[in-house]
Amino acid sequence: MTDAGEALAAAARVLAAAGVESARADAELLLAHELGESRGRVQALALTGGDVDRDALARFARLVERRADREPLQHLTGRAAFRTVELAVGPGVFVPRPETEVVAQLAIDAARGMEAPVVVDLATGSGAIALAVAAEVPAAAVTGVERNAAALAWAQRNAADLALPNARIAQGDLADALPELDGGVDVVVSNPPYIPDGMIPRDPEVRLHDPADALFGGPDGLDPMRAVVATAVRLLRAGGLLVVEHGEHQGEAVRALLDPAVWGAPATHPDLTGRDRATTARRR
Ligand SMILES: C[S@@+](CC[C@H](N)C(=O)[O-])C[C@H]1O[C@@H](n2cnc3c(N)ncnc32)[C@H](O)[C@@H]1O
């Protein structure tokens, strides 16, 4: 047996030395995962000098090593929290990010004001936005669209696990998705790939573990966005809302993709850290 507090402190030192920003939190979450306990229970264990058995500790040490090699925390635990839903994630799918929770909020706020809204999430990845909208707006009928086979399998698994009656996942290219819904959609939301091809993501978790298909969007990063806008023109009814996530310096370029003859009220919104990360517009 070893003291949980000591094990956590040692793990946090290893992770901090490896450049992991949230070293202590990650250590707590990994130990919680290993013990099948909540993070709060692990924190309590550390405060009260509780012990952890040697086998569990050896497995924890192995997880800490992998995290120090900059494997994403969510790949090690297999889970990612996104708003009100918890998703299974792992190799082959983009790990949902906190800033996307704000993008989903914009879609949820719009859908909540409608009677039986039809919502489409283009490029759904793990299903994060689609499934959160479906969970938080039970009156909505939500479809998530994903092209990549590996990501699609994660989204389908999450949809099956959550068993929301108002959510479905469809395989397809966002460029020609869901023609049966043309002109009948109330909200189109999307977090497409938007990193310019030549840019190398700084964090190893992103560079080495997020699928390239989820990251890169052509020479200026906006090729998928152009397809999202064109598909939204086709899918949305008059007055329907488009909500897209983009890079912090892309707000102006994204608004420039929105032809004023087709789109009204274009607006770019900051995320929780004040960076411009989402743009909305209404189909005329
Ligand atoms: C940045 S990830 C976002 C995933 C998810 N929406 C989220 O926010 O966590 C972009 C996703 O777009 C998918 N994708 C890329 N090109 C696509 C296309 N042409 N049609 C459909 N999905 C596409 C990728 O496979 C990836 O899952």
Side-chain angles (χ1 to χ4, degrees):
M1 302 284 255
T2 302
D3 183 83
E6 279 173 25
L8 280 174
R13 280 195 299 274
V14 169
L15 295 180
V20 174
E21 272 178 26
S22 49
R24 174 75 191 194
D26 282 25
E28 290 171 356
L29 288 163
L30 287 173
L31 186 57
H33 170 70
E34 181 49 50
L35 299 178
E37 297 280 3
S38 68
R39 182 178 172 196
R41 172 84 188 107
V42 161
Q43 287 169 330
L45 207 61
L47 278 174
T48 56
D51 282 332
V52 181
D53 85 65
R54 273 184 197 290
D55 289 348
L57 214 62
R59 289 192 298 271
F60 171 58
R62 178 70 195 119
L63 287 176
V64 171
E65 256 173 49
R66 290 172 61 188
R67 184 72 190 100
D69 281 343
R70 306 297 297 268
E71 263 186 70
L73 174 72
Q74 296 86 348
H75 283 200
L76 299 173
T77 63
R79 311 297 294 171
F82 186 80
R83 296 183 60 93
T84 53
V85 295
E86 197 180 87
L87 303 156
V89 293
V93 72
F94 183 84
V95 173
R97 308 291 208 269
E99 55 268 27
T100 306
E101 295 184 331
V102 177
V103 176
Q105 182 76 59
L106 292 164
I108 287 165
D109 288 347
R112 271 201 186 124
M114 300 173 193
E115 207 166 304
V118 176
V119 179
V120 170
D121 170 21
L122 297 172
T124 197
S126 62
I129 299 175
L131 297 171
V133 174
E136 294 181 53
V137 191
V142 187
T143 305
V145 177
E146 175 58 49
R147 175 181 69 177
N148 181 281
L152 180 77
W154 286 103
Q156 286 171 331
R157 173 180 164 184
N158 285 318
D161 287 352
L162 290 165
L164 298 162
N166 57 336
R168 75 181 176 113
I169 302 295
Q171 179 164 26
D173 192 310
L174 65 85
D176 54 16
L178 308 174
E180 69 278 14
L181 295 183
D182 280 1
V185 175
D186 297 289
V187 180
V188 169
V189 56
S190 183
N191 173 20
Y194 50 70
I195 299 177
D197 282 349
M199 264 179 72
I200 300 170
R202 188 197 49 183
D203 293 334
E205 289 87 345
V206 179
R207 197 169 63 241
L208 303 176
H209 297 281
D210 275 326
D213 215 13
L215 299 179
F216 300 106
D220 66 352
L222 293 175
D223 285 352
M225 193 67 76
R226 292 183 183 90
V228 166
V229 171
T231 295
V233 170
R234 170 170 64 73
L235 288 177
L236 286 172
R237 63 162 169 82
L241 186 74
L242 171 66
V243 182
V244 291
E245 178 171 328
H246 49 70
E248 62 180 301
H249 303 300
Q250 291 175 327
E252 195 181 337
V254 169
R255 290 194 305 279
L257 300 179
L258 302 170
D259 177 355
V262 179
W263 296 100
T268 297
H269 311 263
D271 69 8
L272 297 170
T273 64
R275 299 187 180 108
D276 283 344
R277 296 301 304 275
T279 290
T280 54
R282 285 219 176 261
R283 175 88 165 88
R284 291 193 192 280

